[in-house]
Amino acid sequence: MSKKNKNTEDVKDQVEEVLDTKVEENPIEENPVEEVDVETQLREELGKEKDKFLRLFAEFENYKKRTSKERLELFKTASQDVIQSMLPVLDDFDRAAKEIEKSEDKDLIKGVELIHNKLKETLKGKGLAEVVVSAGDVFNADNHEAITQIPAPSEDLKGKIVDVIEKGYTLGDKVIRFPKVVTGQ
């Protein structure tokens, strides 16, 4: 073979190789479709992870709010047992004050009133509040504890409170002792 023919064949071979290479590059052009599918899949996974993260974050925020609220409630009512045990002492002071008022010794009355007021103010400072109930108020089973029912002394006291036997108290927003009352029938 001559050099020319050999060169021509070499060129033909090179052209065929280039054409074969271009034919092989066609499958690469199909990859962008696969890349788009992979990209879409990755975006979906990212969206799912973002959603999962946001839900977890919201759940954690709710947990923080709930625990801080429980902690505040615990601090408010931490001394509830002590205050409840002091209520009979407060009741005794109320009864004693009524009896001592009958006395003519003004210094005795003044001394007992000072101690009584100091005890009330100390308990009030800890969050104790008296439930205000008086004779003639409408009886409500949710807010009062009926000890007994008696025939109403008058028609306007039927279904209403006739007498308050024991005062009720709240500690913060929680009722720790309901007022004990006598109702009219």
Side-chain angles (χ1 to χ4, degrees):
M1 261 194 188
S2 72
K3 276 187 170 182
K4 243 180 176 184
N5 281 344
K6 195 171 187 183
N7 284 340
T8 308
E9 281 184 24
D10 287 339
V11 171
K12 282 182 183 178
D13 287 339
Q14 288 176 355
V15 169
E16 284 180 8
E17 282 180 32
V18 169
L19 287 176
D20 286 343
T21 307
K22 286 195 176 184
V23 170
E24 288 175 349
E25 288 177 1
N26 280 341
I28 293 175
E29 289 177 10
E30 290 176 13
N31 280 344
V33 172
E34 289 177 15
E35 284 182 25
V36 169
D37 289 341
V38 170
E39 185 177 328
T40 305
Q41 185 181 12
L42 289 175
R43 285 182 193 265
E44 288 175 3
E45 287 178 20
L46 180 63
K48 287 178 185 177
E49 291 299 320
K50 279 184 181 179
D51 183 55
K52 185 178 176 182
F53 171 75
L54 288 175
R55 289 179 187 274
L56 185 62
F57 184 75
E59 188 175 320
F60 181 68
E61 286 296 316
N62 290 338
Y63 168 77
K64 282 184 3 184
K65 288 177 186 175
R66 186 177 66 247
T67 55
S68 66
K69 184 179 178 183
E70 287 172 357
R71 177 178 280 154
L72 286 175
E73 186 68 28
L74 180 65
F75 286 137
K76 285 182 182 177
T77 60
S79 59
Q80 179 177 344
D81 291 336
V82 174
I83 290 176
Q84 278 182 320
S85 65
M86 293 297 291
L87 292 180
V89 175
L90 191 59
D91 292 336
D92 290 342
F93 256 113
D94 288 337
R95 286 190 285 274
K98 284 182 184 177
E99 291 302 316
I100 291 175
E101 284 178 3
K102 296 176 185 176
S103 170
E104 293 184 18
D105 189 0
K106 300 296 180 191
D107 291 333
L108 178 64
I109 294 171
K110 188 175 181 179
V112 171
E113 282 179 0
L114 286 172
I115 296 170
H116 184 242
N117 288 335
K118 189 172 187 176
L119 177 62
K120 273 187 169 179
E121 292 303 315
T122 302
L123 293 175
K124 186 186 275 186
K126 299 296 180 187
L128 185 71
E130 185 179 323
V131 176
V132 180
V133 179
S134 60
D137 290 349
V138 176
F139 174 73
N140 183 348
D142 293 333
N143 299 330
H144 309 108
E145 183 178 338
I147 300 296
T148 187
Q149 288 184 343
I150 60 170
S154 63
E155 283 295 316
D156 60 327
L157 288 178
K158 282 190 175 184
K160 294 187 178 180
I161 297 171
V162 176
D163 191 19
V164 179
I165 304 297
E166 194 173 69
K167 294 179 183 178
Y169 293 96
T170 60
L171 184 62
D173 296 333
K174 185 179 179 184
V175 177
I176 59 172
R177 186 171 83 182
F178 288 96
K180 295 179 180 171
V181 298
V182 176
T183 59
Q185 209 174 8

